[in-house]
Amino acid sequence: MDKRLPDLATAVARIEDGARLMIGGFGSAGIPFGLIDALLDHGAKGLTVISNNAGAQETGIAKLLKEGRVAKVICSYPRSPGSIWFERRYEAGEIELEVVPQGTLAERIRAAGAGIGGFLTPTAYGTLLAEGKETRVIDGRGYVMELPLHADVALLRADRADKWGNLTFHGTARNFNPVMASAAKYAVAEVRELSDVPLDPERVVTPGIFVQGVVEYGVRP
Amino acid sequence: MNSLTDAQLAARVARDIPDGSYVNLGIGKPTHVSSYVPEGREIIYHSENGIIGVGPTPPEGEEDFEMIDASKRYITTAPGAAFFEHADSFAMMRGGHIDIAVLGAYQVAENGDIANWATLDEKFPPAVGGAMDLVVGVPTIFVMMRHTNRDGTPKLLRKCTYPLTGLAIVSRVYTDLAVLDLAPEGFRLVELTPGNTLEEVQALTDAKIHS
């Protein structure tokens, strides 16, 4: 088994117009900038982007928004310092926005990867974000029914990988990357370093079974 | 009217955080609380993006793009720190493992409702982040904010007018003018910023302050 890919272009070649795309990262950490740039060159459009933020300045997801490739954003926190392209597209009514509480976003992704058909969470009960959703009261506490969130492709950023797709991470760059790996039909990770030898199984964070492709991209933002 | 500075307010909140607590600090003013922990206490800070044991800001030139907190500021690790992914991070928050969360707010109501994620301005995209998960999972919610809006209108209300983040979950509110507990009868005065009278603070508060 060898999941190593020769370059970033190969890693994104299968992404089609209208694809549902998970993109790892939180703030500046764990964002697959190389894969996103390759996706821009590749040209897919009408994308649904599932990510915590909606990009800042002119990099990452902001670039996809700037170039008009995104039809819908599903995220918890679209507004960040410098999220000008999100705000511009949103104000112009050019993109659809689904705001999901951050923990619910992570758990919906986890549910998809774990084969769970839905779950009950107390988060957002009684608020605007629970409107129209099924609710239940258990032992006097209110819960909202949330459904799994699947994707066609997940673009991830990790620190090291081996040819089996096992991943390790650095610092706070784990964030959504491990859980997104499990929830997409095709999960591909750009990594700082591809290891020639198997990674130490005791240190693997994301087991290779969740990862379909790895590509070396040594550039750190 | 005597008003605490943001730094004095952060120091006042820090005094109420017991030794050995696991604490989540919200974005904005609450992040300053960690700078004012009284000596001799070990407080462990959780950041929703995947670290327990947030340490101080790194020296200039040693910043790491992959070492940040929820406010996207550069951080280091404190002794005993651990990294984890998002589903685990929110299990800590939702699952009752964190002792105290300190949050900012647009509005707090006398029944303990909090509004801090959306306004009524539809042009302004809403951003909820982890706030709704914290308020359902963390047993003690401290709110830290200015007593009134910039135009002088009250933020401590009989009923919130903005979309709610959480229902009846605020434990205590720290403002520049006073500290108030959320009691069964509503806002109950804990202390006034020295020099202020209850009448003065009440005049800037929509809900009744019980003493």
Side-chain angles (χ1 to χ4, degrees), chain B residues 20-23 46 52 88-100 137-139:
Chain B
S21 301
Y22 287 102
V23 175
H46 168 272
I52 191 102
D88 282 348
S89 186
F90 279 78
M92 293 175 197
M93 293 156 74
R94 213 192 297 103
H97 307 282
I98 292 172
D99 301 307
I100 298 172
V138 180

Side-chain angles (χ1 to χ4, degrees), chain A residues 61-109:
Chain A
I61 295 171
K63 232 192 251 184
L64 289 172
L65 287 160
K66 181 184 177 184
E67 299 299 326
R69 307 292 172 80
V70 181
K72 181 175 182 181
V73 173
I74 302 175
C75 73
S76 88
Y77 210 79
R79 215 171 54 216
S80 309
S83 58
I84 42 168
W85 284 106
F86 169 77
E87 283 160 45
R88 218 167 275 184
R89 297 291 178 228
Y90 181 80
E91 273 177 39
E94 292 163 349
I95 51 166
E96 198 185 328
L97 171 68
E98 181 180 344
V99 172
V100 182
Q102 201 171 138
T104 300
L105 183 63
E107 197 63 16
R108 288 180 65 192
I109 296 168

Side-chain angles (χ1 to χ4, degrees), chain B residues 28-207:
Chain B
K29 290 191 209 314
T31 52
H32 301 296
V33 169
S34 60
S35 308
Y36 299 96
V37 173
E39 217 160 305
R41 291 186 201 174
E42 184 183 21
I43 314 293
I44 300 195
Y45 296 99
H46 168 272
S47 192
E48 67 193 18
N49 57 315
I51 175 172
I52 191 102
V54 176
T57 310
E60 215 178 306
E62 287 176 36
E63 298 91 351
D64 179 339
F65 266 71
E66 295 190 331
M67 279 294 296
I68 57 170
D69 66 11
S71 301
K72 284 92 179 175
R73 296 179 318 161
Y74 295 114
I75 55 164
T76 55
T77 53
F83 298 121
F84 36 82
E85 51 91 19
H86 246 80
D88 282 348
S89 186
F90 279 78
M92 293 175 197
M93 293 156 74
R94 213 192 297 103
H97 307 282
I98 292 172
D99 301 307
I100 298 172
V102 184
L103 303 175
Y106 297 141
Q107 301 176 330
V108 175
E110 63 184 357
N111 66 345
D113 287 355
I114 178 175
N116 76 349
W117 74 282
T119 63
L120 302 172
D121 182 353
E122 287 192 5
K123 277 210 316 229
F124 206 53
V128 66
M132 285 191 184
D133 302 283
L134 279 172
V135 299
V136 298
V138 180
T140 300
I141 302 288
F142 289 164
V143 170
M144 177 178 168
M145 64 181 196
R146 297 273 117 193
H147 201 89
T148 60
N149 293 305
R150 283 208 186 91
D151 63 4
T153 54
K155 290 163 69 98
L156 297 170
L157 307 174
R158 277 165 284 178
K159 196 171 187 310
C160 293
T161 58
Y162 288 166
L164 296 180
T165 308
L167 284 65
I169 46 72
V170 175
S171 309
R172 183 173 268 201
V173 182
Y174 299 82
T175 80
D176 49 329
L177 306 182
V179 180
L180 304 162
D181 268 342
L182 273 296
E185 70 270 23
F187 291 110
R188 186 197 290 149
L189 184 68
V190 176
E191 65 188 49
L192 294 161
T193 297
N196 295 342
T197 67
L198 178 57
E199 292 66 36
E200 287 171 322
V201 176
Q202 178 65 71
L204 297 170
T205 310
D206 173 56

